[in-house]
Amino acid sequence: MKMDLMNLRDFRQGTLQGSAILAGIALVALATFVAFVATQQAIDTFFIASALVFSVYVVWQSRRTVQRLTESEAKAKQVAGHDILSGLPNRFLFNDLVDSEIGRCARNRSSFALFYLDLDRFKEINDTFGHDAGDQLIISITTRITRVLRQNDRLARLGGDEFGILQTDVKDPRDSAALAQRILDALSVPFDLGERQVFAGISIGIALCPQDATDRSGLMCLADLALYRAKHEGRNRYTFFEARMGEHLRLRKAIEDELRQAIANDGLGVEYQPVMSGDGQTMVGLEALVRWNHPTQGNLPPESFISLAEERGLIVPLGEWVLRRACLDARRWPELRVAVNVSPIQFRHKEFVSSVVKILQETGMEPQRLELELTEGVVIEDADQAENSIIELRALGIRMVLDDFGTGYSSLIYLRRFAFDKIKIDRSFLQYMEPSGESAIIVQSIVQLGRALGLTVNAEGIETPDQVEFLRALGCDELQGFLFSASLAADDVAAFAATAAGGYGLVPNMPLAVARAG
């Protein structure tokens, strides 16, 4: 019985222990379950929170992306409508502004003025001092013009050196005249470009809406015609459109376009005036003279289209065309020198020397047979650059000629500084010369000066045998003029040279007036 009790106690104790163990396991299981449930809820909560955070981030990022795209689009529109250098509206935006102003004025029955502005000789400044200096000048000009405008007026850069102004609420044309004068005054003070000071004039054409036209195309055309007249009448001035100017200026505009095409399409010509020895017996060279037989206007005088070429930025390609044509033709006359006139704008172009070298190489022309004729104005503007260019050209063997000698105030100064090979006495000294008169004394002094300096002396404009005898007695080296011949086509030069030994008056029975017309 005792044993049974012990066994029963052991069994009970074991049962209790087992129950305790089972209870413990149950508690652990329960705790584990509770923990699992809690953990699952935490995980769910974490995922839910993460999803919410991610959604918020996606929405925020999307809005930020949309904002960036909107800003980029606005910036792109801003850039597309504005000039990068000056920050001004460009031609496309300016067109929109003009259209809007036309509509506003039609509704309000008000007026506005359209200005076209063009810098005078900007290309010359660009070519002389470089494009960086040109960019700096554009920025400075933009600043000065902006200062004299009213808040509602709009300035735009339409092209390289072209600007437009929209002057709103114009009560009277005198309002526009006053603004134009303020602009001219603002630009009259020189501009500092690094170590240099330059003057930059500006020409202004003005058209009024609705007085002159009521559509953008018409207004711009009329303002451009007025600008063209301002340039033609002397530059650095303003001009209003007037109906009477239209036909003449349209003709000049048409000629400008046709000249551009003639240069590009080899539509010009070159004639050659013989240069004779000092006794008038032998042809020693030729001077190349550009000619243009216009398809509808006939033979145009060089001064008419050369000045036009200088105004409209065509003189450099025109000068290069003439030089190339003369060098090609000169291969026919291996014993003769050929002289080519060089425009001041062309000579000051920074690529001028290299362009001459290239043309000589292309044509096979010997540099020793080429003469380049410069006027005094070429060396006055920028003496240092002119001196360097002349040195480079003479090093190639090219002869440098100072044309129209005696007509300027500083010829003697520049003869001392620059290494010219020849001077040409201006024809004005010979036109009314008397053997004992003032002009004769000047001519004699020039010849003696040239000979003392070792320079070739050329006298142009010879029309009478008496002039030949006078200049021969002085020891003048070269003569040219209508007495010997008018300018010749390239095909006629050889025939003239064959008869040149007969002396002056080589074109028998040709009246002087006929020779001049040729």
Side-chain angles (χ1 to χ4, degrees), residues 148-219:
V148 301
L149 298 179
R150 298 171 306 171
Q151 185 175 359
N152 293 333
D153 298 333
R154 299 300 300 269
L155 173 65
R157 187 184 180 200
L158 308 181
D161 61 344
E162 299 176 357
F163 294 83
I165 292 177
L166 192 60
Q167 185 189 23
T168 61
D169 298 320
V170 174
K171 306 298 183 185
D172 188 278
R174 286 175 292 186
D175 297 340
S176 300
L179 173 57
Q181 189 59 53
R182 290 199 302 271
I183 293 171
L184 294 175
D185 293 341
L187 301 190
S188 64
V189 180
F191 293 85
D192 291 320
L193 301 181
E195 298 178 355
R196 293 183 174 91
Q197 279 195 333
V198 300
F199 288 89
I202 196 165
S203 299
I204 305 171
I206 308 170
L208 301 173
C209 178
Q211 294 92 320
D212 297 326
T214 56
D215 63 290
R216 171 166 54 84
S217 178
L219 276 172

Side-chain angles (χ1 to χ4, degrees), residues 1 19 26 32 69 121 138 156 165 180 193 218 222 258-259 278 299 307 316 341 403 430 437 444 488 496 507 514:
M1 178 66 70
S19 299
T32 302
L69 289 174
R121 299 185 175 89
I138 290 293
I165 292 177
L193 301 181
L222 300 184
E258 291 162 352
L259 176 60
N299 289 315
S307 61
V316 171
N341 290 279
D403 199 7
L430 300 171
Q444 181 179 5
L488 302 169
F496 178 86
V507 185
V514 175

